[in-house]
Every structure is written in structure tokens, then in C-alpha cells.
Amino acid sequence: MLKGRFGGFFFQLIALLLAFGVVSLILISVDASPADAYKNMFTGSFGSLRKFAEVLVAFVPLLLVTAGLLVTFSSGLWNIGVEGQVVLGAITTTWVFRYFLESDLPPALIIILAILGGMVGGAIWASFTGLLKVFGGVNEIFGGLGLNFVSTALTIYLIFGPWKRPGVASMSGTVPFPDEFSLPLLADLRISPWALGIALAGIVLVYFILQGTYFGLRLKAVGKNFRAAYLLGIPTWQYSMYSFLICGALAGAAGAVQVAAVYHRLIPSISSGYGYLGLMVAMLINYQAIWAVPVALFFAALNIGSIQLPILMKLDSSLSGVLQGILVLFVLLAEGVRQRFAKKA
Amino acid sequence: MRKNFARLASLALALIFVLAACGGQPTAAPATEAPVVTEAPAATEAPVATEAPVQEPFVFGLLLVGPYNDNGWSQAHYEAGLYLEEKLGAKMVYLDKVNPADRPGTTPDQLAEELVAQGAKLVIFNSDDMKDASTTFAKANPDVFVIMASGDQVWSDGKAFEEIPNLTNIMGRMEYGKMMAGCAAALTSETGKIGYLGPLINDETRRLAASAYLGAKHCWENAGNDPAALQFKVTWIGFWFHIPGFTTDPVDVSKDFYTTGYDVVISGIDNPVNLGEAQKLTAEGTTSFGVAYDYVAACDAAPEVCIGVPYFNWGPEYLKAVSSAIEGTWESQFIWVGPDWTDLNNPDTSSIGFVNGPALSAEAAAAVDAFVAELAGGLNLWTGPINLQDGSVYLADGEVATDQQVWYLPQLLEGMEGLSAAE
């Protein structure tokens, strides 16, 4: 057991080194110094409190999405639709804010309602994928992907249509909400401690569900062997739906935070790709909740740190995306190799 | 089992409630702390003015909405940045592709701070898309000078006026350039059908499309053509340039124009992709021409189909503004400046210009030059009678539009096809 775990760690370390090696080769091929690039990315993300706060801004939605995906992965579902669930969370949050724009309710209450609204919106959107899967026999990958496109189209329709700025038809987004609709931010920083709290609560909740409850155990049973779980008397399709709803709610919370604490309005790319990035994080951590926080933080740091590359080295900041992708590939590959070794031994 | 889950869920909800409720009392937002000062105070506070500027070059930041080499709007700004480096010995730090699609999860005010971290004491926001963010940034960083190109926040006669002492708006009167573009298009078109590749819809894009129409109409009728035979159609793509999945593809829009008899397409977006399509279609036998936009050398992309380019030359005004920041004479201003009519294409004096393209016939070129001379002589096409697209009177007979009327043009003009606002 110990040996196996150690072996896994060893293979993942190799994968990490390989990924950095390949990216270094790419950098060398364009005459850039890998050492400088990594150094700039590091100081760009952890070099100051301000920068670390920006990393946390990206970390919050990423962690929420990852937490949600741990649930769907545990029940054996590939919830690609998580991206759209983030978007719908943002849309519903925007809708709630707009609904209460003129109201006399305390802003705190409106913010709570808006975030809860976002969670409900995300959950409902996820339930569509779930219903298509359970009752329509549509694989959740295709259903989810389709709904992602629909969610983008819906955002664009709202921004250019019913929610447009007066006299304007632009991708720039809806009219920004008043300051009191913002989740309170730390002085001089852009991070909201409440957003951070929501994200940490989300991952703790998921960890608790998966590790400490009978519900989580059954969820995993459904994921490991759907048919066997069914024969053992677990209401399998209900469990699939539960996991979609939980994931949707967490993704919706990510979208809600994007509106309430980051952009303060609806913009076309409101999800910032965190849904897809969350999928990578979940795969990288091999669906173990305990690793979600450090790895999501690492990915968020890569995203923020890479902004330094175009400013300081005239390199494209998509390099961070390349590194993230390669890393996931190598880790999966290493896992495959390890299993092969394990079998032989 | 189910009870367990319900208990868990309610626990989670309660937790979130508590968290959010604690967040209820909004702490003082940092933005409100921006000093409510009266007149040009930023200059006095700026450390630059006191420190000896001999050794350290003045660092300015530039945020570009598109790629720095987009052959259009952003490249014109980038070249202006190089101009400042050359003229002032200043140092530029820049970041391009500053838009939420290319830099997901970031905001322009956050990215501006990255430039400040690299030493920038002045930051130029180059796009309408960053207007709100430039306001946020300027208020949160009262000791950093801000130039917001194309905006109207500090126009005291404008609709969105706010007092932001460390912010200046700069824009060229591209209306003239667009009139010249429209003129060249009308004199080149065989079919009398002119397409206008519009970006998103707002005050700026409406008035520029309308200017192109006014120029086209003027030259079309002056050349003795039937006024009713001129068709001018605007198709908007939704943003300043193509973002796959979010905007209409401007290449497709250009193709639709060219293949339905619109033999000249004027670009109103941040780059001249219409030229590429014109080049391709001309090679296939459909005679097509294009007018580029924004950048002086934009015709180089496809000279054989390019009949001209109205362009911005940001250098002169940026030089004045940045110099004033260095010298401590900065004032928050709204600058909307026309060309140097004595020398339209002088890089040191003219803020907008127009270059005839290689594909413009000698005869048409002469007529365009004559039109430019008329404009220089005081011809104002924003003179009534002009109706708005819905038929209502915009300018009565002989009435000349005020700056406000032109800047905030509420609709396209009568005679133009295309949307005036979002549906």
C-alpha cells in the first residue's frame, strides 16, 4: 500500500518534470530563457500581496468548479457542461441583481439572494444534462457540450438584447452594477474574503460528502460500477442526478462570484474558461479532494503569473495554458505507465 | 440516507448564509477614497515633477485591446508609443490583447496595475471597451496619470461627465477621415452600393458610419450621379474585431457584401480584413475594393484592392499629454482634435489623416484631393437638412450640428441601411 502510494507520487513527479522539460524546450526554441520565464511567472503570482490576491481571485471560481467536478467524477460522470453551468450561474446572479436594482432591500440580502440564485441557476442547467442522460440516453459529454454552446448564445442574446446598455450593442457587457452590489473586497485588493470563504466551504463540503458520508459512498459505488450498484439496491439514476445538481450548484456559485466580486456585470466570456480548467485540475488530482486546493492554486498562479510573459519577455501568455495541458497529459500518461508496471510486478 | 443529505445540504446553505451575512456590511470601498480635489491636483502630487528626470526615463504604460501588430487601431497606438519613446526618451511598457476573451479572468484596471508595477507613471487605455475600467483605475490610483482614448468621461459638456483630475480623454476627429473614405468609395463604386463593416454599435461607431455616408453622398452627387442610386449599408459584427464564437465573422460579412453587388467595403472595425477578402474575390473575377481603417500603412495588406485609409496619428496629442505629465503641467482635459488642414499627413502635427490607396484611380484621387481641399476650406457636411434613420429631423435646413449632436448621434441617418441600435 505504502509502496503503491509512493510509486504513484514518484511517477507524478516524473510527469511534472517532463512537463516543465517540454515547455522549457518550447521556450528555448523561441530563444527565450526558461529560467527567466518561470521566475517571472513566479514573481508575477507570489511576488507581492497584491499579486497573490489576484491569484486568489482566479483560485476561487476554479476551486468551486473543481469541487463540483469531484462529485460528478465520483459518480462516473464527465460533466463537460460545467462551463455552461458557470455561465448560467452568472446569468441568474445578474438577473437577481437586475430584479432588485431599484429595491429598498439591504444590499447584503440582495447579494445573498443573487449568489443563491446563481447556485440554483447552475443546478438547473446541470439538471438538463442529467435529464438528457438519464431519460434521453444522451451521453453527458455531448449533452453538456451542447448546453455550453447554448449558454454562450444565451449570454450574447441577453447582452445584445434585453439587457443591453442604452443605445449600445457591444460585447462589452451589461451596465456595471452599483458598488453596494459588490461582495466586500479587502481594502486596496480585489479579492473578497467572502468569495474565498464560499470556495473553501465548497471544497470542505465536497470532501466531507465524499469521505465521510454514506451518501458519498453510494455515489462512488455508482461511479465504480453502475450495474453492480443498481443490483445492490442503490437508486442509481437518482444518484446521477444528485451529483449533477451538486456540481451545478457549485459551478453556479463560481459564476455568481464572477459577477458579484470580479466583473460586477455580465460579460460574454464571464466564465473565463474556469469550467474547462477545472476539468483539468480534477483530472490532474486523480479525483482526490484533498489535492484540490494546492493544485487549483497552482493553476490559478500560472494563469495570473503568465501575464508577466508578454509584458516582460514579449512571449504569449498562452504558454501557461500549454504548460497546464501538457502537465495533465503527462500525469495521465504516467498513471497509465505506473499501472502497467504494477500489473507486471 | 436522504435525511443525511438534506441535513448536509441545509448545513451547507446555513454556512453560506452565515458567510454571506457577515459580508453584509460593506466596508468602505477603496474607490471612494479618491481625493475630491478641485483643479489639476495630480500634477502637484506626482513624484515625477520633483525628481530629477535626467537619469531615469519616464515610464508610460499602454494597454491595447487588440494585438500590437493588428494593422489597425492597436498598431496605430503602439506606433504612437514608439514615437513617444523616440521624442521623449521615455520607456514604454505595454500589454496587448486586453479583452476578456483573450485574457480571461482579468480586468483592464488589474492589468494597468501590472504596468504600474513595471514603473509606469502614466497609463494609456486604448479602447472604448476599457472605459469603465479606466475610470475605476484612475480613481483608485490618483497618483498615476491616465489617458483614455476615445472616451468622454471628462468632457464637461458630455453626457457622462465626471471629474477625474488624473484622467484625460483624447480622440481624433475621424469624422473627416471617414468622409474622405466615403468619398473615395463613392467615386470607385460601379454599382453605387457601398458596404460598411461596422464593429459594435455605440455613439462613436454611429457617428463614424454616418460620416462615411455623408462623404459618400456628397461625392456621389457631385460627380453627377443619381442620388437615389446610392446604397449605403452597415452590418455590425458585435465587437471591435472578430472573436470566434462571440462575434459575427467580419470576413463572412465582407464576402456577403462583395458577392451581393457591394463592390466597395469600408472597414469600421479595428483591422482591414475586408481587404483580404476583396483581394481573394478580385482574383476569382469579382471586382472588389476596400477602404482600410485606423493605421497609416494598413493598405499594405492588399495594395491592389485598397483605395485608401483614414487613420489615427496618436503621436502628437500623446506627446503633449505625456510631456505635461512629466513637466508637472498636467490638466484633466477632453481633447477631440481634427487634422492639420495645412498638412493632412504630417506625422508631427496632424492627429488624423487620409492616404489614397494604390487602387484608387488617378481621376478619383484628384476628386478626393479636391474634396479634402473643400473640407479644409470649411465645408461642413454636418449641415442640415439631415434626417435620422427613422425620418425624424436631426438638423433643420442650414442648421450646423454641435459637437454634442455629432458625438452623441442617436441613430444612423436617413438613407443608410442597417441597425441604429440593438434589436
Side-chain angles (χ1 to χ4, degrees), chain A residues 11-77:
Chain A
F11 274 96
Q12 289 187 352
L13 194 69
I14 297 232
L16 188 69
L17 289 177
L18 276 175
F20 273 98
V22 169
V23 172
S24 302
L25 284 180
I26 295 174
L27 284 167
I28 290 167
S29 74
V30 295
D31 284 333
S33 150
D36 282 353
Y38 298 137
K39 195 191 93 207
N40 287 330
M41 283 166 82
F42 183 78
T43 51
S45 44
F46 296 108
S48 69
L49 181 64
R50 243 187 145 71
K51 293 193 166 152
F52 184 60
E54 304 293 356
V55 171
L56 290 180
V57 170
F59 169 71
V60 164
L62 190 55
L63 184 62
L64 281 167
V65 167
T66 306
L69 286 167
L70 287 170
V71 178
T72 41
F73 273 124
S74 292
S75 57
L77 296 165

Side-chain angles (χ1 to χ4, degrees), chain A residues 50-51 54 108 112 116 119 152 156 160 164-165 167-172 176 184-185 188 190 194 197-198 201 205 208-209 213-215 218 239 242 246 263 267-269 272 274 304 307-308 310-312 314 316-317, chain B residues 1-2 5 8 12-13 15-17 19-27 30 94-95 97 100-101 103-107 109-111 113-115 117-118 128-129 132 200-202 206 238-239 243 245-247 422-423:
Chain A
R50 243 187 145 71
K51 293 193 166 152
E54 304 293 356
I112 296 171
L116 288 177
M119 296 177 72
T152 305
I156 292 184
F160 281 89
K164 64 174 182 275
R165 287 178 172 215
V168 171
S170 164
M171 260 199 35
S172 304
L185 309 180
D188 272 345
R190 259 181 222 92
W194 308 112
I198 293 172
L205 178 74
F208 181 57
I209 291 180
T213 67
Y214 194 50
F215 175 82
R218 286 184 157 198
Y239 270 75
Y242 292 150
I246 297 172
Y263 287 106
I267 59 169
S269 46
S272 307
Y274 290 135
I304 298 301
I307 295 169
Q308 302 302 320
I311 297 177
L312 294 174
K314 307 290 168 243
D316 201 285
S317 46
Chain B
M1 172 60 249
R2 252 189 210 170
F5 177 62
L8 247 172
L13 280 183
L15 192 64
I16 288 158
F17 262 118
L19 275 173
C22 297
Q25 281 84 28
T27 50
Y94 74 94
L95 185 61
K97 297 194 268 182
R103 303 211 177 275
T106 63
T107 53
D109 44 320
Q110 168 192 353
L111 298 172
E113 276 173 17
E114 294 291 347
L115 300 183
Q118 297 305 322
D128 147 81
D129 195 46
D132 297 325
L200 46 88
I201 312 179
N202 67 9
R206 268 192 296 268
F239 197 61
I243 299 182
F246 292 111
T247 66
E423 275 178 297

Side-chain angles (χ1 to χ4, degrees), chain B residues 28 59 78 140 219 232:
Chain B
V59 181
Y78 177 72
C219 291
F232 191 99

Side-chain angles (χ1 to χ4, degrees), chain A:
Chain A
M1 189 65 203
L2 191 73
K3 199 176 165 193
R5 201 172 272 180
F6 180 75
F9 182 71
F10 174 73
F11 274 96
Q12 289 187 352
L13 194 69
I14 297 232
L16 188 69
L17 289 177
L18 276 175
F20 273 98
V22 169
V23 172
S24 302
L25 284 180
I26 295 174
L27 284 167
I28 290 167
S29 74
V30 295
D31 284 333
S33 150
D36 282 353
Y38 298 137
K39 195 191 93 207
N40 287 330
M41 283 166 82
F42 183 78
T43 51
S45 44
F46 296 108
S48 69
L49 181 64
R50 243 187 145 71
K51 293 193 166 152
F52 184 60
E54 304 293 356
V55 171
L56 290 180
V57 170
F59 169 71
V60 164
L62 190 55
L63 184 62
L64 281 167
V65 167
T66 306
L69 286 167
L70 287 170
V71 178
T72 41
F73 273 124
S74 292
S75 57
L77 296 165
W78 280 80
N79 186 16
I80 304 278
V82 68
E83 184 80 14
Q85 290 146 28
V86 177
V87 172
L88 259 288
I91 288 178
T92 345
T93 299
T94 309
W95 180 75
V96 175
F97 275 143
R98 289 180 63 89
Y99 186 83
F100 289 111
L101 213 46
E102 308 285 327
S103 91
D104 296 328
L105 288 179
L109 181 63
I110 297 175
I111 294 174
I112 296 171
L113 288 174
I115 291 176
L116 288 177
M119 296 177 72
V120 172
I124 291 176
W125 201 250
S127 76
F128 293 164
T129 314
L131 292 172
L132 279 170
K133 159 103 178 168
V134 170
F135 296 111
V138 179
N139 186 298
E140 74 276 9
I141 295 179
F142 301 116
L145 208 54
L147 285 166
N148 287 353
F149 284 108
V150 177
S151 72
T152 305
L154 183 62
T155 314
I156 292 184
Y157 162 74
L158 289 169
I159 289 173
F160 281 89
W163 293 353
K164 64 174 182 275
R165 287 178 172 215
V168 171
S170 164
M171 260 199 35
S172 304
T174 58
V175 180
F177 293 120
D179 285 348
E180 63 263 28
F181 279 7
S182 167
L183 271 177
L185 309 180
L186 286 178
D188 272 345
L189 299 174
R190 259 181 222 92
I191 181 67
S192 161
W194 308 112
L196 198 58
I198 293 172
L200 292 173
I203 189 69
V204 168
L205 178 74
V206 166
Y207 179 80
F208 181 57
I209 291 180
L210 293 181
Q211 304 300 323
T213 67
Y214 194 50
F215 175 82
L217 192 65
R218 286 184 157 198
L219 212 56
K220 283 190 273 193
V222 173
K224 288 260 193 287
N225 192 328
F226 194 84
R227 184 151 175 78
Y230 177 75
L231 291 175
L232 284 171
I234 300 175
T236 42
W237 71 262
Q238 288 92 328
Y239 270 75
S240 294
M241 286 303 291
Y242 292 150
S243 68
F244 271 120
L245 289 175
I246 297 172
C247 181
L250 288 164
V257 168
Q258 288 285 94
V259 172
V262 182
Y263 287 106
H264 310 293
R265 61 189 156 137
L266 184 66
I267 59 169
S269 46
I270 189 74
S271 69
S272 307
Y274 290 135
Y276 294 124
L277 201 59
L279 282 163
M280 298 224 277
V281 175
M283 282 190 271
L284 194 60
I285 61 179
N286 200 17
Y287 323 128
Q288 299 161 44
I290 195 89
W291 288 101
V293 171
V295 174
L297 192 66
F298 176 55
F299 270 43
L302 284 177
N303 269 20
I304 298 301
S306 66
I307 295 169
Q308 302 302 320
L309 298 179
I311 297 177
L312 294 174
M313 303 176 73
K314 307 290 168 243
L315 292 170
D316 201 285
S317 46
S318 55
L319 192 76
S320 65
V322 174
L323 180 59
Q324 288 160 345
I326 290 179
L327 190 58
V328 173
L329 278 179
F330 275 118
V331 166
L332 293 181
L333 194 68
E335 178 62 18
V337 173
R338 187 188 69 82
Q339 282 176 3
R340 200 162 256 226
F341 265 99
K343 256 181 214 160
K344 267 188 191 162

Side-chain angles (χ1 to χ4, degrees), chain B residues 219-422:
Chain B
C219 291
W220 177 259
E221 291 172 9
N222 260 18
N225 295 303
D226 172 17
L230 180 70
Q231 288 185 43
F232 191 99
K233 184 175 168 185
V234 184
T235 302
W236 309 100
I237 66 162
F239 197 61
W240 298 104
F241 45 83
H242 184 214
I243 299 182
F246 292 111
T247 66
T248 314
D249 189 342
V251 172
D252 291 343
V253 172
S254 306
K255 189 178 177 185
D256 285 347
F257 272 133
Y258 288 128
T259 53
T260 54
Y262 290 83
D263 55 352
V264 183
V265 174
I266 302 172
S267 173
I269 64 173
D270 277 7
N271 53 49
V273 292
N274 55 326
L275 294 183
E277 197 57 23
Q279 193 178 36
K280 200 179 114 206
L281 289 169
T282 301
E284 289 170 7
T286 312
T287 310
S288 311
F289 295 99
V291 179
Y293 184 30
D294 288 324
Y295 176 52
V296 61
C299 270
D300 293 354
E304 69 273 26
V305 293
C306 186
I307 59 170
V309 55
Y311 65 91
F312 288 98
N313 178 31
W314 300 94
E317 286 305 320
Y318 282 0
L319 183 63
K320 285 185 209 163
V322 175
S323 301
S324 77
I326 294 174
E327 289 155 10
T329 54
W330 171 276
E331 260 183 277
S332 170
Q333 293 181 73
F334 170 79
I335 296 165
W336 192 18
V337 62
D340 177 356
W341 286 117
T342 60
D343 190 1
L344 184 63
N345 293 309
N346 186 328
D348 296 317
T349 58
S350 195
S351 288
I352 71 135
F354 183 85
V355 185
N356 290 339
L360 191 67
S361 71
E363 192 192 347
V368 171
D369 291 344
F371 175 60
V372 172
E374 275 188 88
L375 288 173
L379 171 70
N380 189 343
L381 297 186
W382 290 99
T383 306
I386 300 178
N387 287 350
L388 296 175
Q389 198 181 37
D390 66 3
S392 61
V393 176
Y394 170 59
L395 296 171
D397 199 359
E399 186 185 356
V400 176
T402 63
D403 274 358
Q404 286 76 12
Q405 278 176 305
V406 174
W407 184 280
Y408 298 111
L409 182 69
Q411 291 176 29
L412 297 181
L413 304 179
E414 196 172 60
M416 300 171 76
E417 277 178 73
L419 294 176
S420 276

